[in-house]
Amino acid sequence: MHFESPEAVAEALRTVGYLPSAEIATTLYLASRLEKPVLVEGPAGTGKTELAKALARAYRMELIRLQCYEGLDEAKALFEWNYRKQLLALQAEQESVESVFGESFLLERPVLHALRATGDRLLLIDEVDRLEIETEALLLEVLAEFQVTVPELGTIVAETRPLVILTSNGVRELSEALKRRALFLYLDYPDEERERQIIEESVPGISSGLARAVAGFVATLRELSLKKPPSIAESLDWARSLVVLSASELGEEVVQATLPTLLKYRGDLATAARLLGGE
Amino acid sequence: MFDRLIRFSAALREAGVGVSPAEVADACRAALATGVDDRETVRAALRATMVKSVSSRDAFDLLFEIFFPLAPLRAGGDLSDQELSESMLSALLEGEDALPGLVGEAVERFAGISAGRPVSSAYYSYRTARAIDLDGLKRALIEALGGEGGDGEIRREASRRIGEVSRLIDREVLSRLVEERGAEEMAGALSIKLPEDVEIMHASGDELRALREAVAPLAAKLVATLERRHRSRREGPLDFRATIRESLSTGGVPVNPVTKRRRPERPEVVLLTDISGSVASFARFTLQLLYTLSNELRGLRSFAFIDEVDEVTGVFKTGTDVETALREIARSAKVVGNAGHSDYGAVFRNFDERFGGSLGSRTTLIVCGDARSNYHDPGIDAFKRIAGSVKATYWLNPEPEGYWDTGDSMMDAFAPYCTAATEVRTLRQLHTFISEVL
């Protein structure tokens, strides 16, 4: 998959309802040109996973997703031998012991599938920072060479390279080796202007005045030292609930009533209430 | 272009951003792919290929301004000083694109940059800001926006726009100085440091703010390390039922024995922090760390001391922000006994007496302090008892190791009873402590 230019990427993402910054578009463009994975890092709720999904939608790519968690191993990420089928084949004496280690007994897991499939595809390795450091090393061969080595079969190389996006919440510092192989994209909370556009884009029926007020208020909240600053998803939820309540502006009363969609901790709510009441 | 890219990457390495040769090669290919017409695209391309961690981004941006500077701007040369100030105000009000040009003109006129003077860029920025009267401009802006000085919303907006002006001034001064002195010299003169290399004890206000932002991921990492350490490496006992269930798919042959997972133990951590004057900025930092930790680690008990020790766990639990919590500690925690100078001996005896019972063989004790006991008895007996009753004791000392045991520092007396005593002057050292020592 080769994108023509950063602008073309930005345009394609916009048509499926994702508003990319120039940096996002440039990085994705480079990923396709240099055939390198992209590591997307940033706080929760800034649209990391959504970016991958939107990109797959925009270019009609097959989306192959590997959700990482502690304890994920080779058998679940790369490939596994189909024991049951091997055993049955041996019992039926149709096969000799050597021949049960063939392609037809191999169970594809997401990563191997991404390498062997044809056509345009996007491999999303989600929350890679949840992996243990040993498991992370498993991915290195895939990310650098786009190949997997199966001891009994040999090396399987991708004929065409899939686009790879890794996401991380920064819970754990990823290894230098992995970072070196990937392009790095940091997704922060959007600035006020971009957030306003996102809200207008994603919340039907919102007036531009209300969208601006919502974006402004959320931006102010993020400057406070909160336990969990509101994410884009939460500010969208908030905007939607304001539209449902047919509020036309941010009055103190309606804000007080709907604030729990935006802030999820009691302490944060108290801080925000001080901001509303004070000043 | 490529020559400049290589000099740029050398300067990045100088500042502590690790850029490997492979990454420089990637950066070259990226710049070729995007073309070099648009400066912001080039910036994005280089950033994606060369900077792989969030904390290095500020250093990258600053060095990018130095090595790929904007051409100095000059606009409206025939305006009088008065007119310049007025058109700046109107540009601020209407958000016109004229602002950078006007700022360029102001720098040209007021900064008085002359060749060969070894003066820092901050000096020229200050001169310009003073000459155009930034504070007056802000007042005028607030008035023009219709705020009577009481409206918080408008004041914030005005501050934001004025902040934009002073950023423009800084950038303009920088690009002029680069033009005059060359990029390498400017980069050297600014001595750019990553937040993790700043000495916590001597950090400036801005650096402390940057540190504060860097603390959150570090705390998460600390918690992850502590929890992993407590998760048993061995597998649990055989899960007979699950093994039989699994064997059904292989015709009753138990190919995959299934074991029970051991439930991870909740780590119990006790943090003991010196908050006396001699380690004031370090104490602010550790309390910040403590605050972030207490959000993540439920089994955390924290204590603060000067020459008395008091539990401060509750202060952080209420979910208030860190500033309020710090004030609360200063107000209500009983950390000062007689003199108000740190007295480790009294503290350890006191701690052992009052809280010693709550320590157990699963507790990890972390002491943060400089071990300077103002020539009081260091209370080795009590410390030995405390350290003996817990699983592990770590001592984080904000002083360079060379200073330990000089003057009134009793570090070497405490060290033998600690599982490890580590010098933690910078965030990077704290990183190392978490990943290698713990």
Side-chain angles (χ1 to χ4, degrees):
Chain A
M1 185 91 223
H2 278 279
F3 305 142
E4 297 100 75
S5 67
E7 293 76 36
V9 177
E11 190 50 48
L13 283 174
R14 258 194 292 273
T15 54
V16 293
Y18 190 96
L19 294 179
S21 64
E23 191 179 3
I24 293 177
T26 309
T27 310
L28 290 175
Y29 165 71
L30 285 174
S32 84
R33 286 299 300 264
L34 307 184
E35 300 193 320
K36 275 181 161 292
V38 186
L39 171 62
V40 190
E41 207 173 285
T46 43
K48 297 184 291 292
T49 308
E50 189 50 40
L51 172 64
K53 288 203 232 160
L55 191 65
R57 268 204 312 277
Y59 284 93
R60 292 199 190 73
M61 291 188 271
E62 182 190 357
L63 179 70
I64 304 160
R65 181 169 176 172
L66 175 68
Q67 171 68 46
C68 296
Y69 53 89
E70 227 178 295
L72 181 84
D73 59 3
E74 216 175 6
K76 285 167 200 144
L78 303 183
F79 65 88
E80 194 174 13
W81 289 107
N82 192 341
Y83 292 119
R84 186 194 330 209
K85 201 169 162 193
Q86 284 175 326
L87 215 64
L88 287 172
L90 286 174
Q91 279 173 350
E93 291 185 52
Q94 286 167 343
E95 303 276 350
S96 66
V97 174
E98 289 80 42
S99 65
V100 294
F101 289 103
E103 291 263 349
S104 55
F105 295 95
L106 201 61
L107 284 178
E108 268 182 359
R109 297 297 183 218
V111 172
L112 186 62
H113 176 63
L115 292 184
R116 294 216 298 187
T118 49
D120 293 333
R121 57 219 186 274
L122 191 154
L123 173 62
L124 167 64
I125 305 181
D126 216 0
E127 302 193 9
V128 70
D129 51 334
R130 286 178 188 269
L131 289 179
E132 286 113 352
I133 194 124
E134 296 84 5
T135 326
E136 193 186 299
L138 256 181
L139 294 174
L140 292 182
E141 189 187 8
V142 179
L143 296 181
E145 317 288 341
F146 290 91
Q147 65 180 38
V148 168
T149 304
V150 182
E152 295 87 352
L153 269 184
T155 304
I156 297 172
V157 188
E159 274 175 32
T160 57
R161 296 189 163 185
L163 200 65
V164 182
I165 292 185
L166 304 111
T167 74
S168 159
N169 289 328
V171 169
R172 179 173 67 76
E173 194 75 21
L174 299 170
S175 72
E176 285 298 320
L178 190 139
K179 284 183 171 180
R180 218 173 29 242
R181 284 165 175 78
L183 301 178
F184 187 80
L185 175 64
Y186 183 71
L187 283 193
D188 208 343
Y189 296 116
D191 60 28
E192 217 176 303
E193 178 57 22
R194 198 174 144 235
E195 179 140 41
R196 185 185 61 76
Q197 290 171 358
I198 294 175
I199 291 172
E200 281 189 11
E201 179 72 29
S202 323
V203 182
I206 195 165
S207 69
S208 67
L210 185 59
R212 179 171 298 115
V214 167
F217 186 72
V218 170
T220 318
L221 280 184
R222 287 196 189 119
E223 273 169 27
L224 304 174
S225 78
L226 295 176
K227 206 162 175 177
K228 169 74 183 76
S231 67
I232 300 181
E234 279 159 343
S235 62
L236 285 179
D237 281 347
W238 191 48
R240 279 193 200 105
S241 50
L242 288 174
V243 169
V244 170
L245 294 172
S246 48
S248 56
E249 55 178 6
L250 293 182
E252 197 178 326
E253 213 167 289
V254 69
V255 171
Q256 286 285 14
T258 51
L259 212 50
T261 40
L262 208 52
L263 299 171
K264 307 294 162 69
Y265 287 95
R266 210 148 45 95
D268 288 354
L269 283 171
T271 314
R274 268 205 301 284
L275 174 83
L276 277 173
E279 286 186 304
Chain B
M1 173 75 195
F2 294 114
D3 171 52
R4 193 183 302 191
L5 202 55
I6 285 162
R7 282 164 49 213
F8 178 53
S9 58
L12 277 174
R13 283 188 200 121
E14 190 74 15
V17 184
V19 184
S20 73
E23 283 165 336
V24 178
D26 281 344
C28 289
R29 291 201 291 145
L32 277 179
T34 56
V36 291
D37 306 334
D38 181 46
R39 185 162 177 267
E40 284 313 306
T41 311
V42 172
R43 186 206 291 265
L46 296 190
R47 190 145 70 175
T49 44
M50 298 171 105
V51 182
K52 305 291 170 75
S53 77
V54 185
S55 63
S56 319
R57 284 167 66 94
D58 287 348
F60 172 89
D61 280 340
L62 190 50
L63 282 169
F64 187 84
E65 294 293 342
I66 292 175
F67 278 83
F68 302 89
L70 284 171
L73 287 162
R74 294 172 177 90
D78 49 357
L79 294 172
S80 72
D81 288 4
Q82 180 64 31
E83 282 164 353
L84 184 66
S85 162
E86 277 164 11
S87 45
M88 223 178 236
L89 183 60
S90 69
L92 274 172
L93 275 172
E94 288 148 32
E96 271 179 56
D97 301 335
L99 198 55
L102 291 170
V103 169
E105 180 62 30
V107 171
E108 169 87 20
R109 212 174 280 186
F110 304 122
I113 297 175
S114 55
R117 269 173 57 183
V119 184
S120 79
S121 60
Y123 169 76
Y124 292 125
S125 299
Y126 169 70
R127 276 185 60 142
T128 314
R130 200 186 46 185
I132 59 176
D133 188 13
L134 222 46
D135 290 336
L137 201 57
K138 184 173 169 182
R139 274 195 301 277
L141 185 61
I142 289 176
E143 218 167 279
L145 284 170
E148 300 296 301
D151 192 333
E153 195 60 41
I154 285 174
R155 234 175 334 169
R156 259 197 301 279
E157 181 60 28
S159 301
R160 201 182 57 76
R161 293 192 194 173
I162 293 295
E164 180 65 28
V165 173
S166 67
R167 223 179 358 264
L168 282 171
I169 293 176
D170 285 347
R171 204 177 70 182
E172 191 62 30
V173 168
L174 197 66
S175 61
R176 276 157 201 259
L177 286 180
V178 170
E179 200 178 47
E180 183 209 317
R181 299 181 187 170
E184 267 84 1
E185 200 190 316
M186 277 309 294
L190 285 173
S191 73
I192 298 159
K193 268 190 193 152
L194 300 185
E196 53 257 48
D197 287 325
V198 170
E199 281 203 35
I200 299 164
M201 289 267 268
H202 309 293
S204 68
D206 276 346
E207 287 170 335
L208 273 179
R209 254 191 302 285
L211 277 178
R212 211 176 307 170
E213 277 169 28
V215 162
L218 203 63
K221 191 175 167 189
L222 183 61
V223 171
T225 316
L226 285 167
E227 280 182 345
R228 195 159 318 142
R229 233 165 57 90
H230 281 256
R231 185 166 300 142
S232 169
R233 282 200 185 274
R234 284 185 307 125
E235 287 184 54
L238 184 75
D239 186 342
F240 195 70
R241 203 194 64 79
T243 305
I244 295 296
R245 174 69 190 79
E246 179 77 13
S247 75
L248 290 182
S249 67
T250 47
V253 183
V255 175
N256 278 331
V258 182
T259 56
K260 284 179 185 153
R261 280 185 84 96
R262 286 178 191 274
R263 197 183 299 165
E265 285 173 27
R266 288 256 148 228
E268 273 172 31
V269 180
V270 172
L271 214 76
L272 204 55
T273 312
D274 185 351
I275 56 170
S276 68
S278 65
V279 286
S281 60
F282 183 70
R284 273 192 70 87
F285 167 76
T286 44
L287 286 175
Q288 172 78 37
L289 182 69
L290 201 73
Y291 169 73
T292 326
L293 273 180
S294 60
N295 287 339
E296 310 230 3
L297 204 63
R298 235 171 303 149
L300 175 84
R301 293 186 71 182
S302 33
F303 299 86
F305 65 87
I306 293 177
D307 60 349
E308 276 238 350
V309 63
D310 199 6
E311 176 155 13
V312 293
T313 316
V315 178
F316 290 108
K317 283 283 150 73
T318 46
T320 45
D321 62 309
V322 66
E323 294 301 326
T324 323
L326 290 179
R327 272 199 302 277
E328 185 65 22
I329 288 180
R331 199 171 56 82
S332 67
K334 198 168 161 18
V335 291
V336 179
N338 301 319
H341 301 295
S342 21
D343 178 351
Y344 281 75
V347 165
F348 286 135
R349 270 190 296 275
N350 195 278
F351 182 75
D352 187 30
E353 233 169 73
R354 285 165 60 197
F355 307 105
S358 63
L359 302 174
S361 60
R362 287 196 312 189
T363 315
T364 305
L365 175 70
I366 301 177
V367 185
C368 306
D370 58 359
R372 292 198 178 273
S373 196
N374 295 303
Y375 302 104
H376 294 295
D377 165 35
I380 296 297
D381 289 350
F383 184 67
K384 194 172 154 188
R385 256 199 313 282
I386 297 170
S389 66
V390 297
K391 179 173 179 181
T393 310
Y394 299 102
W395 193 301
L396 308 183
N397 194 325
E399 286 192 336
E401 219 167 324
Y403 293 179
W404 292 8
D405 229 31
T406 61
D408 57 345
S409 168
M410 298 297 294
M411 198 56 227
D412 284 6
F414 292 121
Y417 306 106
C418 301
T419 320
T422 323
E423 163 194 322
V424 177
R425 283 155 63 208
T426 64
L427 267 193
R428 194 184 292 278
Q429 284 175 326
L430 189 57
H431 256 288
T432 321
F433 166 74
I434 292 171
S435 51
E436 283 167 23
V437 181
L438 268 185

